[in-house]
Amino acid sequence: MTTNQPAPPPGVDISRPSIARVYDYMLGGKDNFAVDRQAGEMALRITPDGPEAAVANRVFLRRVVRYLVAEAGIHQFLDIGSGLPTQGNVHEIAHEIDKSVRVVYVDDDPMVLAHANALLTEAETTTVVQADVREPAAILDHPEVRKYIDFDQPVGLLLLGILHHLHDHEDPAGIAARLRAPLVPGSHLAISHFHNPGEAHPDAARKALEVERIFNQTLGTGRWRTHREILVYFGDLELLEPGLVPFAEWRPEAVQPPRQTDTYYTFIGGVARKR
Ligand SMILES: C[S@@+](CC[C@H](N)C(=O)[O-])C[C@H]1O[C@@H](n2cnc3c(N)ncnc32)[C@H](O)[C@@H]1O
């Protein structure tokens, strides 16, 4: 992880930490500033395995995208809360299998837009839009989204690591429902979300609450929800096997089971299909 302080792109506020940049720090990226690293370090004091959780989420993303393109027939993705470009972006993973797959990245962080625009060279298939998930209609009606995504065909809707950044009063369930609404049968929804495992893993649950407090203090968001609360976001879509589970348990490819550290239980994911 770097300690250099690169110049921020225009519009980027480096007096306060940003979710995208703290996550980039956890992933060992270089698109973060001192204020982001400080916020990240505060959380790492409680759960030093935070970087493992971030990497596990990206490995989950990779398996999900490969599954959706290779096995579920998805040729277009709407990736909301896409994050800063990192190793193994959705379009790169999809294009390993099918170069015609279209991807629209959506994020509200200006740094994401600046970096994604600089890196995206596959304009025919891939684009990035700056928008807020709390305004789902603005995303679904966005001209760029309409240009790349044909809502008469199945869509892979990715809500990875984003719904836990919505407060309860912002109605994440209603927002997820509005984003699911235009999906035709055969579409898929993937979600990853901070998880409070409760009594099943009390030590991990206690640490989740502590990190939740730090996130809200530093970033102003972050909710570690219960399994039941997260399931609601899939609505009436059919949850695929093995369900909403720790990342390493979702259709694992690794022969060696991973270490079951605290965050093993506190960041989970699943995929569902519209019937
Ligand atoms: C933890 S990162 C997840 C990145 C990527 N989806 C992944 O799972 O690896 C969360 C992303 O959601 C974005 N985000 C947070 N709140 C948002 C909002 N209200 N609207 C759009 N994007 C948001 C952040 O800027 C950040 O890039």
Side-chain angles (χ1 to χ4, degrees):
M1 293 175 199
T2 180
T3 51
N4 292 338
Q5 186 88 350
V12 171
D13 178 3
I14 61 164
S15 67
R16 291 181 305 162
S18 99
I19 296 160
R21 298 183 328 234
V22 172
Y23 183 63
D24 177 71
Y25 177 58
M26 292 289 163
L27 285 170
K30 58 177 175 38
D31 299 327
N32 51 76
F33 300 92
V35 69
D36 307 306
R37 298 190 282 274
Q38 280 157 15
E41 287 300 330
M42 283 174 73
L44 290 179
R45 281 201 274 278
I46 312 294
T47 47
D49 58 338
E52 283 176 49
V55 169
N57 182 43
R58 292 303 300 188
V59 175
F60 170 70
L61 172 149
R62 180 177 178 80
R63 289 205 305 280
V64 166
V65 171
R66 287 190 66 84
Y67 168 78
L68 293 180
V69 177
E71 296 183 47
I74 295 295
H75 289 98
Q76 44 180 3
F77 287 90
L78 186 55
D79 180 6
I80 305 181
S82 50
L84 282 156
T86 182
Q87 276 190 356
N89 300 298
V90 171
H91 71 287
E92 293 162 339
I93 300 165
H95 289 174
E96 285 170 12
I97 302 169
D98 180 345
K99 292 216 176 311
S100 69
V101 171
R102 293 183 304 284
V103 178
V104 179
Y105 295 113
V106 179
D107 205 290
D108 71 342
D109 191 312
M111 181 109 166
V112 171
L113 198 73
H115 283 247
N117 273 332
L119 281 181
L120 284 181
T121 52
E122 295 163 58
E124 265 177 38
T125 57
T126 311
T127 191
V128 57
V129 165
Q130 188 173 2
D132 192 321
V133 71
R134 291 169 295 186
E135 292 169 20
I139 294 177
L140 296 171
D141 295 338
H142 194 288
E144 200 73 352
V145 173
R146 290 280 159 182
K147 185 173 154 196
Y148 282 77
I149 304 286
D150 174 0
F151 283 96
D152 292 329
Q153 299 295 323
V155 174
L157 174 60
L158 305 180
L159 296 175
L160 302 178
I162 180 159
L163 293 173
H164 53 227
H165 289 300
L166 298 179
H167 297 285
D168 293 350
H169 68 79
E170 291 173 321
D171 190 20
I175 289 169
R178 285 198 285 285
L179 291 169
R180 288 193 314 268
L183 303 181
V184 297
S187 296
H188 286 69
L189 167 61
I191 293 177
S192 66
H193 199 294
F194 291 154
H195 173 233
N196 186 328
E199 288 176 8
H201 299 283
D203 202 42
R206 181 182 57 72
K207 288 181 182 168
L209 285 179
E210 279 183 57
V211 181
E212 185 174 80
R213 184 179 54 73
I214 291 169
F215 262 57
N216 281 273
Q217 210 180 307
T218 55
L219 292 166
T221 73
R223 277 275 286 117
W224 274 249
R225 295 192 168 97
T226 64
H227 197 265
R228 186 186 294 239
E229 284 175 314
I230 303 166
L231 274 183
V232 168
Y233 304 145
F234 291 104
D236 62 359
L237 272 60
E238 176 192 5
L239 191 64
L240 302 185
E241 289 295 332
L244 177 62
V245 293
F247 297 133
E249 294 172 25
W250 198 87
R251 303 180 184 226
E253 284 167 1
V255 182
Q256 187 79 10
R259 287 198 310 142
Q260 297 198 357
T261 58
D262 293 320
T263 57
Y264 183 92
Y265 300 106
T266 58
F267 200 2
I268 62 176
V271 179
R273 176 177 51 211
K274 177 111 170 192
R275 282 179 275 217

